[in-house]
Amino acid sequence: MTAPRPAASPRLAERPARTFDVARIREDFPILKQQVHGKPLVYLDNAATSQKPQVVIDTLVRYLTTINANVHRGIHYLSARATDEFEGARAKVRLFLNAAEDREIIFVRGATEGINLVAHSYGRQHIGPGDEVVISHMEHHSNIVPWQMLCQERSAKLRVIPINDAGELLLDEYEKLLNPRTKLVSIVHVSNSLGTVNPIEGIIAAAHSRGIPVLVDGAQAVPHMAVDVRKMGCDFYVFSGHKVFGPTGIGVVYGRAELLEAMPPYQGGGDMIRSVTFEKTTYNSLPYKFEAGTPDVSGAIGLGAAIDYVTALGLDRITAYEHELLDYGARRLAAIDGLQIIGTAKDKASILSFVLEGVHPHDIGTILDGEGIAIRTGHHCTQPLMDRFGVPATARASLAFYNTREEIDALAQGMQRVIEVLK
């Protein structure tokens, strides 16, 4: 039997290396061609989830129509093909993060499950009464709650790095928090509510100088910038596939092999075992020790296709283009009377979070939706951060490389419509 061919390579790979033709790129995203409420869709909710290029859609259809089988232990043709592509996706993730070995890449459902894995496995093993875990004031609830639960269980203490009014970490205060009782630092790379890009290498170096390991939540970083976990020096790095133009339900934990080797499994059953008796279970090797049950095979393969796509486009070019677009958007919004941007850090990525005097963000989102503009309103799973800025919620426009200046103009015009209706 002839092996099914992978989906066609991204057409981006055929394009001149120095061009960034957004109009051409948008043709790869069929969902962007539709109208909403009779208006062209302006999708600015990329921090919640990004849209999928045709090559990812085609990859999922090809897998489900020609290969679909369970992985690793089947001896038949389809299982072997599924295993090859599943493990091939793992190798793509390794290259994407510049990890040293495939076994350092663990597939999970998303960044949230990744943080929970580390909290339950590494945390329970290393954190005890009186110990401390350091996070920051700008964390997503997913990087707060697992550590709260662990600290409550282990009689440990959660310490929080404060931020300034621009939404930047107070690094002097961070250094003061580090002490012999600190057993882990868990920090966001890019804030989902502010867009702040944290100086992650310095944060890691400060912790490592005291022998403290660091987990980095990269959910909002990997769609917008190149990530090199070895250059960064982190001990754990987590992200979600659906925010980097892949499917939902798949995510990644990177962990240094020597740490993962010493950690107990997070869940039991399925692929995480080598042998089982009623008296004893011998666990599988890495990475399978942490992948209990049937994995999201199609999701991992789809993630691999998404990684191929953004790699062909070039993450350095994505960063440069989005930075220019973010600056343009900040200038357009700042010119609107009564509008305040929340989060004005010097180093930002992709996020325009704002409030309008006298108008609830939910009403902003509703009126913009009527104009075909999709943004996110609410606390963005960062309620302590909203409290820090004294607001219950914000309106958030979040960018991706397929967004345009014309869409930013549409957002600004939509905000004028909000003012006409509500003020």
Side-chain angles (χ1 to χ4, degrees):
M1 181 179 290
T2 302
R5 292 179 180 275
S9 298
R11 283 168 288 180
L12 284 165
E14 302 168 2
R15 297 168 198 164
R18 294 185 180 278
T19 62
F20 199 87
D21 186 348
V22 178
R24 178 65 188 84
I25 289 168
R26 289 175 64 88
E27 293 179 13
D28 293 337
F29 292 82
I31 200 169
L32 299 179
K33 300 173 183 175
Q34 68 179 297
Q35 293 198 335
V36 172
H37 304 309
K39 308 283 181 60
L41 170 64
V42 176
Y43 187 79
L44 298 173
D45 196 17
N46 296 285
T49 196
S50 59
Q51 300 302 341
K52 318 309 172 194
Q54 188 65 52
V55 69
V56 170
I57 299 167
D58 290 345
T59 296
L60 294 172
V61 171
R62 176 188 60 82
Y63 171 77
L64 292 170
T65 54
T66 65
I67 298 177
N68 182 50
N70 213 332
V71 292
H72 293 150
R73 285 168 293 180
I75 59 171
H76 58 80
Y77 172 82
L78 291 182
S79 180
R81 289 291 305 162
T83 300
D84 286 347
E85 297 215 11
F86 181 72
E87 293 302 327
R90 195 189 308 276
K92 291 178 182 179
V93 175
R94 173 180 61 78
L95 290 170
F96 185 61
L97 297 179
N98 194 33
E101 305 176 64
D102 286 2
R103 67 190 182 122
E104 295 179 321
I105 304 300
I106 299 162
F107 285 126
V108 290
R109 288 183 298 165
T112 297
E113 186 175 62
I115 294 170
N116 275 274
L117 185 157
V118 177
H120 281 258
S121 181
Y122 182 89
R124 282 178 170 169
Q125 195 176 44
H126 292 275
I127 295 168
D131 289 337
E132 298 179 356
V133 176
V134 172
I135 61 172
S136 83
H137 214 121
M138 67 176 75
E139 301 304 322
H140 190 284
H141 295 165
S142 295
N143 201 27
I144 300 174
V145 179
W147 304 114
Q148 279 182 333
M149 296 166 71
L150 179 70
C151 287
Q152 289 169 3
E153 175 187 311
R154 310 296 289 179
S155 299
K157 187 173 183 179
L158 195 63
R159 306 295 301 274
V160 181
I161 310 167
I163 62 175
N164 61 24
D165 290 342
E168 298 165 321
L169 295 176
L170 297 179
L171 295 175
D172 289 345
E173 297 300 318
Y174 164 60
E175 297 246 9
K176 292 176 186 174
L177 290 176
L178 302 177
N179 65 70
R181 297 184 300 276
T182 309
K183 300 304 179 187
L184 187 82
V185 173
S186 189
I187 190 81
V188 68
H189 195 170
V190 176
S191 164
N192 71 305
S193 289
L194 305 176
T196 303
V197 180
N198 284 321
I200 206 71
E201 291 186 24
I203 291 169
I204 293 168
H208 281 183
S209 70
R210 296 163 175 84
I212 303 165
V214 179
L215 180 150
V216 180
D217 174 2
Q220 299 293 338
V222 290
H224 306 293
M225 62 189 66
V227 170
D228 184 332
V229 292
R230 282 192 281 179
K231 181 180 179 209
M232 188 185 298
C234 63
D235 300 278
F236 302 100
Y237 196 96
V238 303
F239 73 90
S240 298
H242 70 98
K243 292 182 179 175
V244 66
F245 314 101
T248 52
I250 188 70
V252 168
V253 175
Y254 156 80
R256 289 197 294 112
E258 57 267 38
L259 293 177
L260 294 175
E261 288 282 13
M263 289 162 52
Y266 168 47
Q267 297 174 322
D271 252 3
M272 56 76 67
I273 65 94
R274 182 162 286 157
S275 67
V276 176
T277 68
F278 284 118
E279 290 75 32
K280 179 183 178 182
T281 294
T282 303
Y283 302 133
N284 207 340
S285 57
L286 291 176
Y288 313 114
K289 181 172 73 172
F290 293 105
E291 294 180 352
T294 298
D296 184 355
V297 181
S298 62
I301 294 168
L303 173 59
I307 285 173
D308 284 344
Y309 184 85
V310 296
T311 301
L313 189 55
L315 278 156
D316 288 343
R317 297 165 68 210
I318 289 172
T319 301
Y321 174 75
E322 290 183 357
H323 185 71
E324 179 183 315
L325 193 63
L326 183 68
D327 283 349
Y328 180 72
R331 291 197 303 273
R332 287 301 312 265
L333 291 181
I336 297 172
D337 287 342
L339 187 147
Q340 179 190 358
I341 293 178
I342 304 295
T344 54
K346 292 177 183 174
D347 195 2
K348 282 190 62 172
S350 78
I351 302 292
L352 291 164
S353 203
F354 57 92
V355 293
L356 184 65
E357 185 179 7
V359 179
H360 194 282
H362 183 84
D363 294 330
I364 294 174
T366 300
I367 292 176
L368 290 180
D369 178 58
E371 301 297 312
I373 302 168
I375 66 164
R376 177 77 37 163
T377 62
H379 53 64
H380 317 299
C381 294
T382 55
Q383 287 182 306
L385 183 63
M386 296 295 112
D387 292 342
R388 166 62 180 77
F389 283 95
V391 295
T394 71
R396 184 187 69 185
S398 51
L399 311 177
F401 56 73
Y402 43 63
N403 290 127
T404 65
R405 284 194 172 210
E406 290 74 19
E407 290 182 316
I408 296 294
D409 292 341
L411 173 64
Q413 291 163 9
M415 288 304 300
Q416 293 299 337
R417 175 66 176 155
V418 171
I419 292 170
E420 291 170 8
V421 172
L422 297 177
K423 296 190 74 172

